[in-house]
Amino acid sequence: MPLRNVRLGVVDLKQVKAALRRRHQLMSEGVYERKVIVVVNGKGGVGKSSLSAALAAALSKTGLQVLLVEIDEQGNHNEDLGTTGTELDDNGQAQAAAILEGKPFAPVGEARPNLFVVPGGTELQDVVEELYCQRRIAARSSEPEDQLAWMGMYAAAIDAVRHLYDVIILDVAPGSEPLQLQALVAGDMVLIPTRSDPSSRKGLRTVARRFAQARSLNPALRLLGVVLFATASAATRVQKKIKSQLAADLNGAAEVLEQTIRHVEAAAVACRTHGQVPQELAAATGLDPALQRSLRALAGDYRSLALEVLQAKAALDTADASRKDAA
């Protein structure tokens, strides 16, 4: 039987390419506003989901309109925010419909005042399959725009709604290169949580490679900083050594943020069990006194981190303004 060329039924990227051109035009005019924070590491188990949910909750408490997007098939945010089994738990269906069917990239609801959520879940498996198909097709193209456009599918969808929010946080799956590239192209700033073990630091270097690849389509992307996660709060000397090692890994590409997130296993389990972030559960009554002390300390870590993230973002905004004035 003779072989035939069969056209795969993939998403038409015409609108994606148009959206990317508009984005580059805004960048060139100096009117592109930084809003999208990508929380990413090349390795799982580094506190990425917990940090994303707690940071989003902390920023929303300041009155900012926050959109939290979980680009991950695991759907951990439902446990972090206590939305499992509710109308906000759509298993990634709305997100998949936005990417695959061109529907608006809309939140499923408001998990907290000012905190809007787009959950992840197993429905994103279809998105991942689409991205692999798009990448294979792009590799056969001789046009530079067509070779890169597949990485901008999330960017196009998110750009259409970014004016509705003050901050957008993308929590992206650790093991999926296509999803990480999508998030990095859609993002403006990258926040990398990491533990101190060698495999976590290797994950950081994996992100660095993908960051460089995404910059080919998103020249405005910047590293916001690295957060040392799950440390012993009393090990000041050890923390200093680890931060020095991380700074050497980064080679000046980004700051290791001053605020670390301590490791409190009982507090982490309690937060997931109650569906609350540390700042919320720390204010609850009837808890074991030792657990409540740990929760309050952990809540303080996240509040301080939120402030440091805003300060780091402000520094990037100032640098952008300076470049615009110089031009």
Side-chain angles (χ1 to χ4, degrees):
M1 180 182 295
L3 295 177
R4 294 183 302 162
N5 289 325
V6 179
R7 173 70 177 173
L8 294 175
V10 296
V11 174
D12 189 336
L13 299 186
K14 184 184 298 184
Q15 293 184 351
V16 171
K17 288 185 280 189
L20 291 173
R21 292 189 207 110
R22 287 195 298 272
R23 165 186 270 227
H24 289 157
Q25 181 64 31
L26 293 174
M27 290 178 185
S28 66
E29 294 173 358
V31 293
Y32 183 80
E33 186 178 359
R34 293 186 183 279
K35 290 187 176 184
V36 184
I37 300 173
V38 182
V39 182
V40 60
N41 193 301
K43 177 185 180 298
V46 295
K48 180 179 57 62
S49 294
S50 297
L51 186 148
S52 298
L55 179 61
L59 294 175
S60 67
K61 287 283 284 185
T62 69
L64 296 173
Q65 297 287 298
V66 179
L67 179 66
L68 176 61
V69 183
E70 186 176 19
I71 309 178
D72 194 330
E73 298 165 66
Q74 291 190 21
N76 289 329
H77 287 176
N78 288 313
E79 294 181 22
D80 292 316
L81 298 172
T83 54
T84 301
T86 72
E87 60 184 7
L88 302 186
D89 180 7
D90 78 338
N91 201 30
Q93 184 175 354
Q95 185 178 160
I99 301 302
L100 301 177
E101 302 172 26
K103 294 184 178 179
F105 200 89
V108 297
E110 199 172 3
R112 305 286 190 275
N114 302 321
L115 175 53
F116 301 87
V117 293
V118 178
T122 57
E123 292 289 331
L124 297 189
Q125 291 173 359
D126 289 341
V127 174
V128 173
E129 290 178 9
E130 172 72 22
L131 296 178
Y132 278 118
C133 290
Q134 291 284 358
R135 185 167 67 174
R136 285 195 293 270
I137 293 170
R140 301 190 187 106
S141 175
S142 59
E143 294 295 326
E145 184 182 42
D146 292 338
Q147 291 171 359
L148 298 175
W150 74 272
M151 292 192 292
M153 295 174 71
Y154 269 82
I158 291 171
D159 279 358
V161 300
R162 63 185 289 147
H163 64 285
L164 300 174
Y165 306 97
D166 299 306
V167 179
I168 299 173
I169 296 176
L170 308 182
D171 174 12
V172 57
S176 174
E177 180 184 19
L179 288 179
Q180 286 197 353
L181 288 171
Q182 290 290 322
L184 290 168
V185 171
D188 307 315
M189 302 159 282
V190 180
L191 187 64
I192 307 175
T194 186
R195 293 178 185 253
S196 59
D197 61 280
S199 59
S200 295
R201 292 171 59 196
K202 182 179 178 182
L204 190 154
R205 292 189 287 272
T206 297
V207 171
R209 291 195 298 271
R210 292 172 184 170
F211 176 92
Q213 187 176 354
R215 283 285 298 272
S216 62
L217 198 57
N218 182 11
L221 187 65
R222 295 292 183 272
L223 284 168
L224 192 64
V226 173
V227 181
L228 184 56
F229 194 88
T231 64
S233 59
T236 305
R237 193 182 311 175
V238 174
Q239 285 187 18
K240 187 175 181 180
K241 180 180 178 180
I242 294 168
K243 285 183 177 181
S244 177
Q245 292 171 340
L246 289 172
D249 289 343
L250 292 165
N251 195 26
E255 296 288 334
V256 180
L257 299 185
E258 183 66 28
Q259 181 59 55
T260 61
I261 305 298
R262 71 192 70 205
H263 175 66
V264 188
E265 184 66 24
V269 172
C271 286
R272 280 273 170 96
T273 301
H274 289 82
Q276 295 181 315
V277 298
Q279 307 95 294
E280 297 168 332
L281 193 55
T285 58
L287 296 177
D288 176 78
L291 174 60
Q292 192 148 44
R293 285 193 297 271
S294 296
L295 283 165
R296 286 172 178 167
L298 187 56
D301 289 351
Y302 279 118
R303 283 192 291 267
S304 296
L305 177 64
L307 177 60
E308 192 170 1
V309 165
L310 290 175
Q311 290 171 336
K313 178 184 179 300
L316 286 177
D317 291 341
T318 299
D320 288 343
S322 297
R323 281 192 292 271
K324 180 181 177 182
D325 292 341

